[in-house]
């Protein structure tokens, strides 16, 4: 059975002290909750991963990286490899976030390489994709999303999807305060699941968690998460406040 997931993408926020404080607060708040079928993940910056992993030990909190390089090692100044993440106890990586695509030129082809490298090191991948506002206005959202998924993931064997979580994040809803309506999210998630089923069969499609991302807040989380094909959220802004994040986790 697929899991519900609430994942916080902290982006380039929180120094060492702030990370320590927020991890402690989240850890404490989820301890008093019956998480049932819900996984709780946070993605702090690279430099704070070691500490976040340490502080999350013996709790249900899981720690992800926000990115990684596709090469094993070598002359790639400033980059971090899959093996390095594993070596500090990180087992999950977010790939393909729209900010990586927009500001750092990450293409579907590059992301396919990153996904391969992550899976080779047994990292679980939270794979992000989503259309821009112009695509949606032109009614092209499904075509765009389908090609992002196909280009980066459809070379994989079916078994690889045990280690993949999908995150649909319409670019026009990220950090804008504008959320896709629960119906828009459900329609797209159902389309994504069908796209997966057509290629890999219903078993795989029904077991992959598909998260929605884009201005999820305590006020709208419950309605979005109530949709049958929405298995949780990738949360940006609201993941930076322990109370808000906790309320979103509790929306299930
Ligand atoms: C994100 O960055 O993945 C995101 C969904 O951000 P926000 O929740 O702030 O829109």
């Amino acid at each position: 059975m697929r899991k519900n997931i609430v994942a916080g993408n902290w982006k380039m926020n929180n120094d060492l002290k702030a990370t320590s404080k927020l991890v402690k607060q989240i850890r404490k708040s989820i301890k008093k909750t019956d998480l049932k079928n819900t996984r709780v993940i946070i993605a702090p910056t690279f430099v704070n991963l070691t500490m976040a992993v340490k502080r999350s030990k013996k709790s249900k909190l899981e720690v992800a990286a926000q990115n990684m390089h596709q090469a094993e090692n070598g002359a790639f100044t400033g980059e971090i490899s899959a093996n390095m993440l594993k070596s500090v106890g990180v087992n999950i990586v977010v790939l393909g976030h729209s900010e990586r695509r927009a500001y750092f030129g990450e293409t579907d082809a590059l992301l396919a390489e990153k996904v391969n490298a992550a899976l080779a090191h047994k990292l679980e991948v939270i794979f992000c994709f989503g259309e821009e506002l112009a695509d949606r206005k032109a009614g092209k959202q499904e075509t765009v999303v389908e090609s992002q998924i196909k280009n980066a993931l459809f070379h994989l064997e079916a078994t690889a999807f045990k280690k993949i979580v999908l995150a649909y994040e319409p670019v026009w809803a990220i950090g804008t305060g504008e959320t896709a309506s629960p119906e828009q999210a459900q329609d797209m998630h159902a389309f994504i699941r069908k796209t997966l089923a057509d290629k890999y069969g219903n078993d795989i499609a029904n077991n992959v968690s598909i998260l929605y991302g884009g201005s999820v807040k305590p006020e709208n989380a419950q309605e979005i998460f109530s949709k049958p094909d929405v298995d949780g959220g990738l949360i940006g802004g609201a993941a930076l406040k322990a109370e808000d994040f906790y309320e979103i986790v509790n929306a299930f």
Side-chain angles (χ1 to χ4, degrees), residues 9 11 97-99 128 169 173-178 212-217 234-239:
N9 173 16
K11 311 191 186 189
H97 192 278
S98 66
E99 287 149 20
C128 309
E169 299 205 298
I174 298 180
T176 59
E178 190 169 339
Y212 167 79
S215 300
V216 176
K217 323 180 241 291
L234 183 55
I235 321 295

Side-chain angles (χ1 to χ4, degrees), residues 24-224:
K24 263 199 231 160
Q25 287 174 327
I26 294 171
R27 190 192 149 128
K28 198 168 152 208
S29 66
I30 62 170
K31 210 172 162 187
K32 53 182 192 215
T33 316
D34 176 7
L35 289 175
K36 296 181 208 125
N37 189 39
T38 305
R39 293 172 65 193
V40 183
I41 301 171
I42 51 166
T45 57
F46 284 130
V47 288
N48 293 325
L49 285 172
T50 306
M51 190 266 281
V53 166
K54 205 167 141 202
R55 291 240 187 278
S56 309
K57 284 238 163 80
K58 298 203 179 104
S59 85
K60 294 244 170 91
L61 190 57
E62 299 176 70
V63 178
Q66 298 173 16
N67 180 35
M68 53 160 251
H69 195 272
Q70 65 278 15
E72 273 302 302
N73 50 42
F76 301 102
T77 302
E79 293 292 334
I80 308 281
S81 72
N83 179 52
M84 290 168 188
L85 296 178
K86 289 292 286 191
S87 73
V88 296
V90 171
N91 295 311
I92 311 166
V93 62
V94 177
L95 293 176
H97 192 278
S98 66
E99 287 149 20
R100 298 290 322 165
R101 293 177 190 257
Y103 307 143
F104 303 95
E106 297 200 357
T107 61
D108 292 343
L110 173 73
L111 290 167
E113 285 185 53
K114 290 194 176 198
V115 168
N116 290 346
L119 295 177
H121 285 271
K122 299 198 167 23
L123 280 155
E124 184 177 10
V125 174
I126 300 179
F127 184 75
C128 309
F129 52 90
E131 82 283 1
E132 311 239 354
L133 185 58
D135 303 321
R136 185 158 278 265
K137 282 193 169 154
K140 288 197 213 143
Q141 63 272 19
E142 290 187 352
T143 322
V144 169
V145 161
E146 186 179 14
S147 74
Q148 288 172 324
I149 296 174
K150 283 187 171 169
N151 293 341
L153 301 179
F154 274 16
H155 61 286
L156 297 171
E157 299 281 337
T159 50
F161 282 82
K162 283 194 187 121
K163 287 283 210 177
I164 293 194
V165 171
L166 299 178
Y168 167 59
E169 299 205 298
V171 179
W172 48 271
I174 298 180
T176 59
E178 190 169 339
T179 322
S181 70
E183 291 70 33
Q184 283 175 320
Q186 168 57 26
D187 286 351
M188 182 57 90
H189 283 221
F191 171 76
I192 294 163
R193 214 175 290 286
K194 183 178 178 309
T195 305
L196 273 184
D198 290 346
K199 167 84 175 167
Y200 293 103
N202 283 331
D203 242 31
I204 298 291
N206 288 332
N207 279 302
V208 171
S209 298
I210 308 178
L211 314 184
Y212 167 79
S215 300
V216 176
K217 323 180 241 291
E219 303 83 60
N220 59 22
Q222 199 157 25
E223 209 186 342
I224 297 172

